[in-house]
Amino acid sequence: MMANSVWRRAAGALILSLALCVTASLPALAAIVVTVNGTPITDIQVSQRVKLFAMEGNRTGQRGARDQLVDEAIMMSEAKRLNITVSNAQIDSALQDVARNVGLSQDKLISMLQQSGVGMDTLRDRLRAAIAWAAVTDQAVAPNVQISDAELDQQAESRIADYQKFDYILKEVLFLAPGGQGAGGRTSQANRYRSAFAGCDSAVELSLGYTDAAVLDVGRRNATQLPEAVAKELAGLNVGGISKPRVTDSGVSMLAICQKTQAEDLTFIKGEIRAEDGNTAVATEASNYLATLRSQAKIINN
């Protein structure tokens, strides 16, 4: 009995000694600086985000890092409410995009982060929040953004230039010169063709007098679909006219006008405006949505 008691006391002392050694060897525990809807944010997370900011040239320091982490916690909370999840595969793909956008291999990017004392979890957490918020925006914000056709018409009318207000049916007359080889001689031939051009009906017949010349049907084009220089030149030509020769990858090209009408359909320019204004409007509404969520969030500072 006494032997067992002595062993228990010795074993207890040994366990306590080992526990103290292990505790002494561990880094200090992270301190919670703020809690957002029940999600803790630690001083280590803030410190890591500041280091990531430094790599990016962001000088907002701890305050900026803390604010960004609070926003991300709110984003993730809203994503959870909407049953939106982000897979590791999505984050891996986003990480590859980040590396590609900065012109680095993924291994090199990871190495740079490590050298700056930034753990991979820091970047992955930010990517996770960004992907989740994009999904929240698509699901909860974008469907509520409306741009009226009347507004689009008004913007299109004010943005479109006079030279863009035409629809054409075009043919391309191409003097082949792959890679631009012999383009000078081909340009001279194209100019001779142009001086003899008498309209689209005789375009093919006229081309038969030249080697490696082709007449291609381009079809209907709105001026907004053409390069600016070409659209401006065609605006000054009548039906039966043909543009000056231009060197392309395939050879020397000219455009012949078979039909030309005043364009009343602003679909092309409206499509561009819808995309531009739509993206801007969605971004603004998403920012307002986040601000509302933040005002409603339970944020406890420690």
Side-chain angles (χ1 to χ4, degrees):
M1 290 288 293
M2 184 175 294
N4 288 339
S5 178
V6 170
W7 165 246
R8 283 196 298 271
R9 286 198 299 272
L14 178 61
I15 292 170
L16 177 61
S17 176
L18 288 171
L20 290 172
C21 289
V22 170
T23 301
S25 67
L26 289 174
L29 293 176
I32 297 173
V33 295
V34 60
T35 303
V36 183
N37 293 333
T39 298
I41 296 172
T42 69
D43 56 348
I44 292 177
Q45 288 175 286
V46 173
S47 175
Q48 282 282 292
R49 192 58 61 95
V50 169
K51 291 178 180 178
L52 183 58
F53 277 8
M55 293 182 67
E56 299 169 337
N58 184 330
R59 300 183 181 278
T60 57
Q62 289 200 356
R63 183 180 182 85
R66 179 183 174 281
D67 285 344
Q68 188 176 84
L69 287 165
V70 168
D71 282 346
E72 289 176 7
I74 292 170
M75 292 173 181
M76 294 305 300
S77 178
E78 182 66 358
K80 182 178 180 180
R81 186 185 73 82
L82 296 175
N83 295 317
I84 293 170
T85 59
V86 179
S87 68
N88 288 332
Q90 286 176 284
I91 298 173
D92 291 340
S93 178
L95 185 60
Q96 290 175 356
D97 289 340
V98 170
R100 190 180 304 112
N101 289 338
V102 297
L104 298 173
S105 68
Q106 187 168 323
D107 288 343
K108 181 63 176 177
L109 175 63
I110 293 172
S111 176
M112 287 182 62
L113 289 168
Q114 291 174 340
Q115 290 173 7
S116 299
V118 180
M120 278 304 299
D121 284 346
T122 297
L123 180 55
R124 292 180 70 87
D125 285 348
R126 185 161 73 175
L127 291 174
R128 185 184 299 276
I131 295 168
W133 186 245
V136 170
T137 299
D138 286 344
Q139 181 172 325
V141 178
N144 299 321
V145 174
Q146 301 291 333
I147 302 175
S148 71
D149 283 338
E151 183 180 355
L152 285 174
D153 286 336
Q154 184 178 6
Q155 290 192 53
E157 285 286 355
S158 64
R159 185 179 300 191
I160 196 167
D162 288 341
Y163 70 86
Q164 294 176 308
K165 296 179 179 180
F166 296 101
D167 281 325
Y168 301 96
I169 292 181
L170 303 170
K171 288 185 183 292
E172 181 183 21
V173 181
L174 182 63
F175 284 75
L176 297 175
Q181 295 182 356
R186 301 256 70 187
T187 299
S188 296
Q189 293 177 345
N191 277 320
R192 288 201 302 272
Y193 179 99
R194 183 169 180 262
S195 65
F197 186 75
C200 290
D201 290 343
S202 59
V204 174
E205 183 179 353
L206 182 60
S207 71
L208 297 178
Y210 298 87
T211 303
D212 293 333
V215 178
L216 310 172
D217 285 323
V218 176
R220 183 175 297 278
R221 291 290 185 274
N222 181 269
T224 58
Q225 295 176 288
L226 301 171
E228 181 178 344
V230 174
K232 285 182 176 179
E233 183 181 3
L234 294 182
L237 299 176
N238 296 321
V239 173
I242 187 169
S243 67
K244 296 175 182 178
R246 286 180 171 80
V247 177
T248 69
D249 291 339
S250 301
V252 178
S253 172
M254 298 177 291
L255 290 177
I257 302 177
C258 304
Q259 289 185 28
K260 179 179 180 180
T261 57
Q262 194 77 23
E264 297 181 359
D265 184 4
L266 299 175
T267 301
F268 302 107
I269 194 72
K270 283 169 65 176
E272 294 178 5
I273 295 172
R274 188 186 298 276
E276 293 170 5
D277 287 11
N279 289 339
T280 300
V282 168
T284 299
E285 287 303 310
S287 180
N288 293 338
Y289 190 78
L290 179 60
T292 299
L293 291 175
R294 184 164 185 146
S295 69
Q296 298 170 347
K298 186 175 182 180
I299 301 174
I300 302 172
N301 295 297
N302 297 322

